[in-house]
Amino acid sequence: MQLKLLDKTNYTIMKFPTHTEIPASFHEINAFKSITYTDDECSIIVPSNTLETDLALSVDDDWFIIQVVGELDFSLVGILTQLANPLAENKISIFSLSTYNTDYLLIKNKDKEKAIHVLQDCGHTFQ
């Protein structure tokens, strides 16, 4: 599978109360960003130090992102499994995110080199 390191930016994953409004500054961020609302929370992923964290219930920083390159058809099976299983076997935790087009893995920077090597050893290539 073809993979891509998004950029050299550190990312932060934040948890906010369910009814948190989208911060105005969120729209000004010109990099990977995500907001997900559920009945239980509002999760926001942004480059570190781009949003205020005062109202966050939880903040976890120092993540990097691996993108699965290309648009994935919804009929494809096991894409995340091919990536998550070898990482789990090597004690590397992931935070996964899917969009309409593709999948993303957020991995702690402390595991970056090991994660890249594990995935390359499984036959995945990086752009």
Side-chain angles (χ1 to χ4, degrees):
M1 193 174 325
Q2 187 74 24
L3 306 174
K4 178 181 178 183
L5 295 173
L6 274 196
D7 53 38
K8 295 179 180 171
T9 302
N10 288 325
Y11 283 86
T12 298
I13 302 170
M14 296 177 275
K15 175 179 160 181
F16 289 88
T18 305
H19 300 295
T20 300
E21 292 187 25
I22 298 173
S25 59
F26 179 85
H27 301 291
E28 298 168 8
I29 299 170
N30 292 322
F32 181 95
K33 59 188 175 186
S34 175
I35 293 183
T36 303
Y37 286 94
T38 70
D39 290 340
D40 301 318
E41 66 171 306
C42 168
S43 290
I44 299 180
I45 302 168
V46 291
S48 296
N49 303 314
T50 57
L51 285 184
E52 291 294 324
T53 61
D54 299 352
L55 301 176
L57 301 173
S58 183
V59 177
D60 198 327
D61 59 6
D62 205 31
W63 297 81
F64 75 98
I65 300 177
I66 295 175
Q67 174 188 357
V68 177
V69 176
E71 291 186 25
L72 305 175
D73 188 88
F74 289 143
S75 65
L76 295 174
V77 177
I79 298 296
L80 283 176
T81 301
Q82 293 177 47
L83 302 170
N85 283 352
L87 293 170
E89 290 166 4
N90 284 275
K91 309 285 189 239
I92 300 171
S93 179
I94 65 168
F95 182 102
S96 64
L97 178 71
S98 296
T99 65
Y100 191 92
N101 284 344
T102 195
D103 297 320
Y104 299 85
L105 296 180
L106 283 85
I107 301 172
K108 287 296 222 172
N109 274 308
K110 69 178 182 63
D111 295 321
K112 186 174 189 174
E113 296 305 317
K114 184 176 179 183
I116 291 169
H117 290 297
V118 165
L119 293 171
Q120 287 174 328
D121 287 347
C122 291
H124 304 294
T125 57
F126 285 85
Q127 287 186 343

